Amino acid sequence: MSGGAVAGPDGRLRCPWGLSTEDYVRYHDEEWGRPVRGDDALFERLALEAFQSGLSWITILRRREGFREAFAGFRIASVAAFTDADRERLLADAGIIRNRSKIEATIANAQVLAGWAEGELDALIWSYAPDPAVRRAPRTVADVPAVTDESTALSKDLKKRGLRFIGPTTAYALMQACGLVDDHLADCVARGGRGTG
């Protein structure tokens, strides 16, 4: 998939990855690359990107509601209070990815973030958003990086503050998903938040 935007069933051009399933079309058109703000909302994206590591995003997307239910809506304070019984419950929950390391990291990250001031996670993550004026719109999928200087710096900063399972590639996926960067291809209908409505 090194090509440019591809016409979907409706004739509109989209990023090629956004056309493989109906779930992806909806996610691509309505969510990916749109700004996400708020500590709990960003914690959810951090957790889901960590769970996605080594897997296809569609696996996570299709289980997202299960994750939300299992992790108390990703409210930082609630997840930080999870007990050993919650850990066992999560390991038995077929509605999520039952990876002990990722479950432990999510709970540990919530415990770290519970000690932060309100808005601190949001401010920290968004402080790494590059200036959109100096970023050229990617013409093809091959033009979209997997890691950037900003994602490497964000990863280091989060790790330094005690967060786990957030390497530079995961940090960049977070930046893409949460609108810190707009990696929709130049000809994509969703570029710049244009959407498809």
Side-chain angles (χ1 to χ4, degrees):
M1 269 209 276
S2 61
V6 175
D10 59 4
R12 296 179 177 191
L13 295 175
R14 290 180 175 83
C15 303
W17 66 265
L19 290 169
S20 61
T21 71
E22 197 54 45
D23 292 330
Y24 265 160
V25 172
R26 199 166 36 257
Y27 177 69
H28 168 274
D29 289 359
E30 299 171 9
E31 290 187 60
W32 192 75
R34 304 282 179 97
V36 173
R37 303 302 300 245
D39 294 341
D40 289 340
L42 288 166
F43 170 62
E44 174 182 334
R45 300 325 191 279
L46 269 172
L48 293 178
E49 292 295 347
F51 273 100
Q52 185 271 330
S53 181
L55 302 170
S56 168
W57 176 245
I58 196 70
T59 303
I60 304 302
L61 189 59
R62 289 180 173 160
R63 295 181 185 208
R64 184 164 58 173
E65 290 309 315
F67 273 106
R68 287 173 173 165
E69 187 175 328
F71 282 96
F74 288 100
R75 291 181 302 278
I76 292 169
S78 298
V79 178
F82 277 12
T83 64
D84 288 341
D86 289 304
R87 287 175 172 81
E88 294 309 311
R89 170 183 58 81
L90 292 167
L91 285 168
D93 190 336
I96 66 169
I97 305 301
R98 295 174 287 183
N99 178 299
R100 183 179 296 275
S101 297
K102 294 175 182 180
I103 289 169
E104 292 289 346
T106 301
I107 296 169
N109 287 348
Q111 291 168 342
V112 169
L113 294 171
W116 291 21
E118 185 176 341
E120 190 173 352
L121 177 62
D122 183 291
L124 175 71
I125 288 175
W126 277 89
S127 73
Y128 286 94
D131 181 353
V134 301
R135 285 180 55 90
R136 295 180 58 166
R139 307 276 332 156
T140 70
V141 174
D143 296 333
V144 178
V147 174
T148 63
D149 291 344
E150 292 89 357
S151 75
T152 300
L154 173 58
S155 170
K156 285 181 181 174
D157 199 349
L158 291 170
K159 285 180 179 177
K160 181 180 73 177
R161 294 166 187 256
L163 272 69
R164 296 162 34 187
F165 249 101
I166 180 76
T169 302
T170 299
Y172 194 65
L174 173 81
M175 293 171 76
Q176 291 173 304
C178 295
L180 281 75
V181 296
D182 184 354
D183 276 345
H184 285 287
L185 301 184
D187 295 328
C188 177
V189 67
R191 174 93 192 154
R194 291 190 294 254
T196 58

